Amino acid sequence: MLRLLTLTLVSISTFAICQKWSGPQVIGSLDTSVLNETSGIAISQVHDDRMYNLNDSGSGPEIFWTTISGKNTKKVKVNNFKPYDMEDMSLGPCGDLKCVYIADIGDNRKKRKFLSIVAIDEMKLKADTTEVGPEFVLRFVYPNKEKYDAESMVVHPSGDIYILTKIVDEENRRAMPAKLFKLGKKKVAKAIEKNEKAELEEVATVDLPYHLYNYNLWGRIATAMDISKDGKTLLVLTYGAVFEFNIEFNSLKEFNARKLDAKSEFRIVTTKKLYQQEAIAYGPKDNEFIYTTEVESGDGVSEIVRHVCE
């Protein structure tokens, strides 16, 4: 009986990912007069039919929300925040609150002295809200004075924060394995309390080029990611594909992306051909995911695309 129970539990864990994703479905479009360089989205778990959006580098301290199909765009100013290059969004706990996290982590030239993440209480983002103050602004750096460019961030249901880098060997035109960094919630709390910079911890390597060998250079680097509601699956977007895979955050030292089983532990989904797609999120439930593009397509439309688990 014990052996049967163990096998059952393993089976449930192993098949956490979708076994077959549908083809792309265009479900709407963004208002490009306002959202002209979308680099992060998150689907609200508090408000019905609400998708948070943010613009890329050069944008002011603002977030937006629309319906999931891109209608009724609303802008909210974030006070006490001076972003440099916002790249991703995530939903997660911050203390007893449910927060929207904004990741100001872009560093194309690798010259930034520090990066930042802002957390906003989602309950303060009401229909008539025009500006809001953050619960906190977290400043942090990579270990050993290293510099990385990154466009992908998630908040685990535990409150831990993870960042996935974007590494390209420019000289040889090669995509390199991404590095996964962690900011544990205790380290976050300490840094905020003492108003000091936190230091990221490198916890794993995610070898996207190994699995995405059929895609070109830009189809092998991470441009955004999201995490499942149970915290067991990551969804990584590239310029060409979505890589969904199981990951056990409690034992990252043993994680090896190259050893993921193709039948049960990862899926590769070819995306609709959108130029410069840099935002992805699971839907209201984990049986669908949605992504958008920074750039208008040939007919002047910035499409919102969905895939559904069949």
Side-chain angles (χ1 to χ4, degrees), residues 92-96 101 136 138 155-162 182-193 198-199 201:
C94 51
D96 296 327
Y101 284 75
F136 63 78
L138 172 69
V155 181
H156 190 274
S158 67
D160 295 336
I161 299 171
Y162 292 89
K182 174 184 177 181
L183 278 171
K185 63 178 180 179
K186 291 183 179 179
K187 184 179 287 189
V188 170
K190 181 180 177 181
I192 294 168
E193 180 184 359
E199 183 175 279
E201 173 191 3

Side-chain angles (χ1 to χ4, degrees), residues 242-276:
V242 170
F243 186 66
E244 184 189 36
F245 63 102
N246 290 342
I247 184 167
E248 179 50 66
F249 285 92
N250 292 326
S251 56
L252 286 173
K253 289 183 179 180
E254 287 76 42
F255 177 76
N256 186 334
R258 291 191 172 197
K259 293 184 178 180
L260 289 170
D261 182 75
K263 292 183 179 180
S264 60
E265 295 181 317
F266 75 87
R267 289 290 176 271
I268 297 172
V269 184
T270 297
T271 58
K272 190 176 189 294
K273 291 185 178 180
L274 302 178
Y275 183 75
Q276 213 158 327

Side-chain angles (χ1 to χ4, degrees), residues 55-74:
N55 275 329
D56 203 337
S57 59
S59 177
E62 302 161 342
I63 63 169
F64 305 82
W65 71 71
T66 65
T67 65
I68 293 177
S69 62
K71 298 177 181 178
N72 305 326
T73 305
K74 180 175 177 58

Side-chain angles (χ1 to χ4, degrees), residues 110-157:
K110 302 178 179 63
K111 291 184 177 181
R112 295 183 64 175
K113 294 181 179 179
F114 63 87
L115 311 171
S116 62
I117 287 176
V118 172
I120 302 167
D121 179 4
E122 195 175 359
M123 293 305 296
K124 292 182 179 178
L125 297 173
K126 300 177 181 179
D128 59 351
T129 301
T130 58
E131 58 184 79
V132 66
E135 296 305 305
F136 63 78
V137 179
L138 172 69
R139 298 175 301 153
F140 58 95
V141 296
Y142 288 100
N144 305 315
K145 298 183 179 181
E146 296 171 341
K147 306 283 186 181
Y148 293 99
D149 190 22
E151 299 185 358
S152 308
M153 180 273 301
V154 295
V155 181
H156 190 274

